[in-house]
Amino acid sequence: MKLKFPNVAQAFRAEPGEQLPLWKHILVRLFTRKSIDQILREGSNTQMRRVLGRLDLIAIGVGAIIGSGIFVLTGVAAAENAGPAIIVSFIIAGVISGLSAFSYSEMASMVPISGSAYTYTYATLGEFLGWIIGWDLILEYLVGAATVSVSWSAYVVSFFKDVFNVKFTPKTTQAPILWDNDTLSFKVNHGSYINIPAMFISLLVTVLLVLGIRQASWVNQTIVVIKIVVVLFFIFGACRFVDRSNYKPFVPPREGHSYGAQGVFKGTQRVFFAYIGFDAVSTASQEAKDPQRDLPWGICASLGICTALYIGVSAVLCGIMSYKDLGGASPLTDALIPHKNTRWLRILIELGAICGLSSVILILLMGQPRIFFTMARDGMFPKIFGRLHHRFKTPYVPTIVSGIVCAVLGGVLPVDILGDMTSVGTLLAFILVNIGVIVMRYTHPEMERGFRVPFGPFLFPILGAAIALVVLVLSDGPTIYRLFIWLAIGLFVYGFYGYRWSRVGNPQKWSPEDIAYFQDSGLDSMYMDEEQGVGGEMPGKGKTTAEGVVS
């Protein structure tokens, strides 16, 4: 017997000649899905340049994953949360990410559009949840890039000190506020006013991304090779300094908000930030040469490579220095300072970290504007954010706006608070994408898939969603509160703009001139379909009016 996945909006469809009450109409609108045909038409006729091959996509994933997580958060999470058991935290985070990577791969091979989890959720669970995850992803990528810019600043300061004996003043290289993990509150960082290097790298990367994806890809591939070599140098160069006594106790006893079994899971939640790179691959869908075949490769291969490197680095790092001393902004070099004849290894690591963190900022600031861009073309944001540059064919307005906001955040906030905010956003995205795979297996069972989640649509997606939910629930209170505050702001924006101007829900508000503004032939042809009533998957066979759904 064939099962049919329930459609909430379908249950409230209007009968012929009937007008729905306002509350039912609103409910229908919230669960209206964007049709897969409509999404694929948008992607197939895009003016964005399809120049990225399989190796480019793998490099994008590795470029985004290996960064602040390996050069900074490894030490911070060990010192404040899990101790030497940070190794276990990375393994758990890798397993969860692997389960979700399968789901991302299937969705990306079906719906190769730049919107990533936003587009997948819109197509499977409806407009409201699509908006929620899109708004969440904007925070995830933006704050993630700001986090890495702070780490980049710390390694630049350390590099100049080791190589040129130049010491920068904390007044212009550190955030004016800090986060106290014991009291779970902010405190003033006396003597510091702004982090100028963090702001500089964000603005520099923004300029590069406006110029074009091909140029950015060349830069990223070069940097990826450099930082993989540097990470391997650290693992094999520092392993001779390992002291087994530093691994005891492997799981430190509970102290306040740190350590113990809960600390291991808190460490998992914190280092989850390090794994957001593989879903950044899916934001480059519309610039991939063969997205249905190459996106799954880019997602799974980059995640596998980086998980192995994470485990190796965390094992060596906790072995060469006590976990309690690893809380600095540049723990890999800090851990080598007490050991003799490590100056050149430290310099090499600092150089690799600077290059590596630069590529992470580049990938995250590439992904975030493309989600912004896709949402704007769906009517969720003003049209100006959905237009490509006439020469470079890049979403230049959201790129510039994102770069400026990232620079401001990196200039005034510390790395740990930024990293935690990004991690909870990642977990929420994982949960909805895993659910989306299950929904799509029932709503579009015959649709071509370049990749399928192994062992059916339930085992891995349910495990991935459940474990991600557990880790999310175990996050500390302030981190969850900040996520809810951000989502509350998002609901306000959706209610006053997105709900009113959504192209799927309000096709009558979009004229040919509005569509022509985007200068995209794919959207022009799609407008003709909307005029004929073939747009989104509205419930029943009716059209949407201001009063309700009528036949």
Side-chain angles (χ1 to χ4, degrees):
M1 182 178 69
K2 183 178 178 180
L3 297 175
K4 185 176 181 181
F5 197 87
N7 186 335
V8 176
Q10 180 75 21
F12 291 98
R13 70 183 185 274
E15 298 298 332
E18 177 190 4
Q19 287 189 348
L20 290 178
L22 180 60
W23 71 270
K24 284 189 177 181
H25 170 63
I26 293 175
L27 188 63
V28 164
R29 274 292 317 281
L30 293 181
F31 288 95
T32 296
R33 297 194 298 257
K34 187 176 181 181
S35 74
I36 297 295
D37 289 341
Q38 179 177 345
I39 292 172
L40 294 178
R41 271 198 305 275
E42 288 183 31
S44 62
N45 295 309
T46 180
Q47 292 188 19
M48 299 175 85
R49 293 170 179 165
R50 293 194 178 275
V51 294
L52 301 179
R54 183 172 296 180
L55 290 179
D56 294 312
L57 295 171
I58 293 174
I60 285 175
V62 174
I65 297 172
I66 297 182
S68 194
I70 206 164
F71 290 113
V72 180
L73 292 182
T74 303
V76 173
E80 298 183 0
N81 303 117
I86 190 63
I87 301 169
V88 178
S89 297
F90 269 114
I91 293 173
I92 296 173
V95 169
I96 301 172
S97 297
L99 294 173
S100 298
F102 287 136
S103 295
Y104 264 96
S105 296
E106 178 167 327
M107 295 297 287
S109 70
M110 291 178 63
V111 191
I113 300 296
S114 297
S116 185
Y118 157 73
T119 302
Y120 310 153
T121 306
Y122 201 166
T124 56
L125 302 176
E127 181 175 291
F128 177 67
L129 289 177
W131 166 268
I132 290 292
I133 200 61
W135 185 253
D136 170 68
L137 287 173
I138 289 173
L139 175 72
E140 174 188 325
Y141 285 101
L142 187 60
V143 177
T147 306
V148 182
S149 73
V150 175
S151 306
W152 186 90
S153 174
Y155 272 100
V156 166
V157 170
S158 179
F159 177 78
F160 273 87
K161 179 182 177 182
D162 283 341
V163 177
F164 305 110
N165 199 29
V166 174
K167 298 181 180 180
F168 291 103
T169 173
K171 292 181 180 180
T172 55
T173 58
Q174 293 182 10
I177 57 175
L178 298 173
W179 177 252
D180 190 323
N181 195 57
D182 293 326
T183 61
L184 300 180
S185 61
F186 288 102
K187 62 181 181 180
V188 177
N189 186 13
H190 296 286
S192 298
Y193 302 106
I194 193 168
N195 194 332
I196 291 179
M199 300 180 72
F200 166 77
I201 187 61
S202 297
L203 297 176
L204 179 64
V205 167
T206 298
V207 172
L208 179 62
L209 287 169
V210 170
L211 294 179
I213 186 70
R214 178 74 265 179
Q215 291 82 353
S217 178
W218 291 338
V219 172
N220 180 61
Q221 286 189 30
T222 303
I223 292 175
V224 164
V225 172
I226 293 173
K227 65 181 177 182
I228 288 179
V229 170
V230 167
V231 169
L232 293 175
F233 262 107
F234 173 79
I235 293 174
F236 293 104
C239 63
R240 57 196 172 103
F241 301 117
V242 168
D243 181 353
R244 293 185 179 181
S245 64
N246 287 326
Y247 294 123
K248 300 177 182 179
F250 188 71
V251 181
R254 186 75 175 160
E255 295 179 16
H257 297 282
S258 303
Y259 311 129
Q262 187 172 346
V264 174
F265 281 98
K266 171 59 181 172
T268 300
Q269 180 264 319
R270 176 167 260 178
V271 301
F272 233 93
F273 165 78
Y275 287 96
I276 68 173
F278 77 80
D279 70 325
V281 174
S282 61
T283 66
S285 299
Q286 286 175 261
E287 289 144 302
K289 295 177 182 176
D290 187 358
Q292 289 188 314
R293 293 180 179 272
D294 293 343
L295 285 172
W297 266 98
I299 291 169
C300 295
S302 61
L303 181 64
I305 292 169
C306 296
T307 299
L309 292 176
Y310 276 143
I311 294 171
V313 167
S314 58
V316 172
L317 183 63
C318 290
I320 64 177
M321 177 176 274
S322 170
Y323 64 89
K324 293 185 177 180
D325 300 323
L326 295 174
S330 50
L332 271 66
T333 52
D334 292 344
L336 289 170
I337 290 175
H339 302 286
K340 295 180 180 180
N341 302 319
T342 60
R343 178 171 178 264
W344 287 107
L345 181 57
R346 294 201 308 272
I347 292 172
L348 181 64
I349 291 170
E350 287 161 355
L351 184 61
I354 291 169
C355 292
L357 295 172
S358 299
S359 73
V360 178
I361 299 170
L362 186 149
I363 300 304
L364 294 179
L365 285 182
M366 179 198 75
Q368 197 270 2
R370 280 157 176 75
I371 295 172
F372 216 136
F373 165 84
T374 304
M375 294 179 73
R377 291 195 161 202
D378 285 338
M380 300 297 187
F381 289 116
K383 295 193 296 293
I384 186 65
F385 293 103
R387 190 167 183 172
L388 297 175
H389 192 279
H390 68 282
R391 177 182 175 187
F392 304 123
K393 301 302 180 185
T394 55
Y396 67 105
V397 174
T399 299
I400 292 171
V401 171
S402 299
I404 292 173
V405 175
C406 176
V408 172
L409 292 176
V412 299
L413 292 178
V415 63
D416 46 0
I417 191 70
L418 289 168
D420 286 351
M421 290 172 66
T422 308
S423 294
V424 295
T426 304
L427 288 165
L428 183 57
F430 284 3
I431 292 169
L432 291 182
V433 171
N434 278 302
I435 294 173
V437 166
I438 299 173
V439 174
M440 288 292 276
R441 285 290 185 97
Y442 286 99
T443 58
H444 296 79
E446 307 302 327
M447 189 172 177
E448 181 182 354
R449 291 162 167 82
F451 177 89
R452 284 179 177 267
V453 175
F455 305 112
F458 294 109
L459 181 60
F460 284 175
I462 290 176
L463 279 175
I467 300 174
L469 179 61
V470 170
V471 177
L472 179 62
V473 169
L474 291 175
S475 302
D476 60 60
T479 301
I480 297 294
Y481 301 153
R482 285 188 289 271
L483 176 64
F484 282 138
I485 291 171
W486 175 253
L487 293 180
I489 296 172
L491 292 178
F492 180 83
V493 175
Y494 174 70
F496 282 88
Y497 191 90
Y499 181 86
R500 297 169 182 267
W501 288 98
S502 160
R503 287 181 55 215
V504 171
N506 303 281
Q508 74 280 2
K509 291 185 178 181
W510 287 78
S511 67
E513 291 75 19
D514 292 325
I515 305 299
Y517 176 83
F518 294 127
Q519 299 179 337
D520 193 318
S521 59
L523 296 181
D524 290 339
S525 63
M526 190 175 62
Y527 176 79
M528 299 302 295
D529 289 335
E530 288 173 352
E531 285 287 283
Q532 299 168 16
V534 209
E537 294 183 4
M538 294 294 291
K541 299 180 181 179
K543 292 184 179 180
T544 305
T545 68
E547 292 78 22
V549 178
V550 297
S551 295

